[in-house]
Amino acid sequence: TQLLEQSPQFLSIQEGENLTVYCNSSSVFSSLQWYRQEPGEGPVLLVTVVTGGEVKKLKRLTFQFGDARKDSSLHITAAQPGDTGLYLCAGPSDSGYALNFGKGTSLLVTP
Amino acid sequence: DAGVTQSPTHLIKTRGQHVTLRCSPISGHKSVSWYQQVLGQGPQFIFQYYEKEERGRGNFPDRFSARQFPNYSSELNVNALLLGDSALYLCASSFRPGQGAYEQYFGPGTRLTVT
């Protein structure tokens, strides 16, 4: 099983601050995905990164895939209360049919 | 277009009972996957179905079973419920199963509580 470790586990910041969360593995992934999940809801796909070193931007969110395709980071600029949620990274299993998820980073942004 | 729908939203069962959860994929999507998410954890893969056939199975006991219907909707069945089966059960649909960066879209989940 390809394990994904996410850090930090919890993060509480004030509106307007910047933050970075991390997703690390000892295994190489063909791609990684980032999801945001709000309480009582299913995960919503934010981005898929495929190429080592790739950087993708989604408004105030910047996603980076490590050169060796073993890690990824998510940077949020000027966080807003609407960014509150559980951020999950996921990568395809060896078979390709399943997604392996990390435990997530729970982010709370207070006004 | 409607997203992935799941029913029921919430369910309370007693130990030893069985439960059936239902999922309708996004129109045009032919693959359905089921995940279990225990509080404080990321989702764990249970099954994937494509064209009514099981394509993948996670590390879950035989008490868990599923099937996919000709209209691509799916059911997840859990027998002899245990307290540890309490979780959010998520259904995800994709156009097809595949290797690598195929995208899955999740439903809102069914919250199962076993007492």
Side-chain angles (χ1 to χ4, degrees):
Chain A
T1 302
Q2 298 168 295
L3 295 176
L4 288 165
E5 302 283 345
Q6 291 192 244
S7 62
Q9 188 176 357
F10 299 101
L11 191 54
S12 180
I13 62 171
Q14 290 194 315
E15 184 176 3
E17 293 184 18
N18 302 331
L19 66 117
T20 303
V21 299
Y22 301 92
C23 174
N24 295 291
S25 175
S26 59
S27 304
V28 175
F29 283 91
S30 57
S31 66
L32 279 179
Q33 298 180 339
W34 285 91
Y35 292 82
R36 180 169 66 215
Q37 184 177 24
E38 299 186 16
E41 300 290 330
V44 175
L45 179 65
L46 297 174
V47 77
T48 300
V49 287
V50 179
T51 306
E54 181 178 7
V55 176
K56 282 191 173 180
K57 292 191 176 183
L58 184 66
K59 297 183 181 178
R60 295 176 293 101
L61 279 60
T62 302
F63 304 86
Q64 184 163 8
F65 200 12
D67 291 340
R69 291 185 288 125
K70 292 184 178 181
D71 56 85
S72 181
S73 64
L74 159 59
H75 181 80
I76 301 179
T77 303
Q80 298 178 359
D83 296 327
T84 293
L86 179 68
Y87 288 83
L88 295 159
C89 68
S93 65
D94 291 335
S95 69
Y97 293 126
L99 280 176
N100 291 328
F101 282 84
K103 291 184 178 181
T105 292
S106 182
L107 172 65
L108 175 63
V109 182
T110 54
Chain B
D1 284 342
V4 178
T5 58
Q6 293 186 242
S7 63
T9 305
H10 296 87
L11 202 53
I12 300 175
K13 290 285 189 178
T14 304
R15 278 178 296 176
Q17 288 187 316
H18 73 273
V19 68
T20 298
L21 310 180
R22 296 178 175 83
C23 170
S24 292
I26 292 171
S27 178
H29 284 192
K30 300 181 179 181
S31 180
V32 170
S33 299
W34 287 96
Y35 291 79
Q36 180 196 64
Q37 186 176 22
V38 176
L39 198 61
Q41 304 287 325
Q44 276 202 298
F45 173 71
I46 309 175
F47 288 111
Q48 184 179 81
Y49 275 77
Y50 176 65
E51 296 285 11
K52 297 179 290 181
E53 291 188 3
E54 181 182 305
R55 292 301 182 99
R57 184 184 182 112
N59 188 24
F60 280 80
D62 292 343
R63 299 185 296 107
F64 289 77
S65 63
R67 55 180 176 168
Q68 186 178 33
F69 299 98
N71 66 353
Y72 304 112
S73 67
S74 178
E75 284 183 354
L76 175 69
N77 294 283
V78 187
N79 293 324
L81 285 167
L82 303 174
L83 294 179
D85 295 331
S86 295
L88 182 67
Y89 287 85
L90 295 162
C91 173
S93 81
S94 59
F95 179 68
R96 55 174 177 80
Q99 306 275 338
Y102 72 99
E103 295 181 344
Q104 296 190 49
Y105 297 88
F106 285 83
T110 293
R111 171 70 63 187
L112 172 65
T113 302
V114 182
T115 61

